[in-house]
Amino acid sequence: MSGAPVDPAPTDPAPGDRSAQLGPALQAVRERVTAAAAEAGRDPGELTLVAVTKFFPAADVRALARLGVGDVGESRDQEAAAKAAEVAQDGVALRWHFIGQVQSNKARSVAAYCDVVHSVDRAKVATALDRGAGEHGRRVGCFVQVDLAPALGEGADPARGGVAPDGIAAVAEAVAGGEHLDLLGLMAVAPREEDPARAFAVLADLAARLRRDHPGAVHLSAGMSGDLEQAVAAGATHLRVGGAILGPRPAPR
């Protein structure tokens, strides 16, 4: 699974267009990703840059699409569903990624527009997503979200979600057993106050264990604006970057 190349030059924006602000920031992130891939001996074409657009307007999504972005991430169903519908009406084709915690009662809606869900942390959520994807005649790629804190000797962080490492297998089986779901791999956020390199090394080890039972689960969703380099070094394939591209996040509405 791959996204738009991370290092093409952005198109020349019209004066006053939001693209004039987003373009240089996006190019800087693409250059960081390319440099990180080179440092790790990896092909940057293997990496998918997901621009996290939560709380930003659909106009910003359209501007990013004009700059060559093919993957965008959202975390709230109501906002994401409306934004995806608005952008689709304009004929803009994107891959939508859901990166927030999924409530089982929202899974049917999420499955209607999202191509990839990064935050499956319960079998119940996997079952609901599978049902919703079937109803809408779609396939949905799924990452199992892991809470790395227990493996790092820290307390769990409920605000961020994720299944404990010893629960990965059960959730992965629920996803793999879904008729309309594809198990992509693992996702995690580096715990606060933790060295991202150490956290992502633990994640990479957990991912290797998962692949023993699910050889096709070769993807790894890790890394954000502040730690994408460490994530690339650890084998991440999907980078979820918001602030470094779009700037300070507006207050949620």
Side-chain angles (χ1 to χ4, degrees), residues 27-220:
Q27 183 63 15
V29 169
R30 284 171 167 163
E31 290 172 358
R32 286 176 60 190
V33 174
T34 299
E39 179 69 20
R42 299 181 60 193
D43 178 0
E46 299 173 351
L47 307 176
T48 297
L49 179 61
V50 180
V52 179
T53 54
K54 61 182 181 180
F55 305 146
F56 287 90
D60 282 1
V61 177
R62 289 190 288 267
L64 287 170
R66 289 194 295 271
L67 292 164
V69 169
D71 296 80
V72 296
E74 293 284 333
S75 65
R76 300 194 309 173
D77 173 57
Q78 185 174 2
E79 175 189 352
K83 200 178 298 183
E86 181 178 344
V87 172
Q89 287 179 345
D90 297 335
V92 179
L94 293 167
R95 281 180 294 273
W96 291 87
H97 298 247
F98 198 84
I99 62 173
Q101 288 183 276
V102 184
Q103 298 174 343
S104 56
N105 64 345
K106 296 288 187 180
R108 180 177 179 275
S109 174
V110 170
Y113 60 87
C114 268
D115 302 287
V116 182
V117 177
H118 292 240
S119 46
V120 180
D121 60 2
R122 289 168 292 151
K124 182 178 181 180
V125 170
T127 300
L129 282 170
D130 185 46
R131 185 182 304 115
E135 290 176 2
H136 293 290
R138 306 182 72 245
R139 294 201 67 79
V140 177
C142 295
F143 288 95
V144 175
Q145 183 177 357
V146 185
D147 181 358
L148 295 176
L152 295 164
E154 302 179 8
D157 186 355
R160 287 196 167 180
V163 63
D166 60 6
I168 291 173
V171 180
E173 287 294 337
V175 173
E179 184 179 355
H180 309 283
L181 305 180
D182 296 312
L183 176 62
L184 300 180
L186 299 183
M187 180 278 247
V189 178
R192 295 178 179 86
E193 309 304 326
E194 180 59 68
D195 174 12
R198 177 173 177 244
F200 294 145
V202 170
L203 178 63
D205 181 63
L206 293 171
R209 296 183 200 178
L210 176 66
R211 287 193 293 274
R212 294 172 192 166
D213 294 322
H214 301 279
V218 297
H219 301 285
L220 194 63

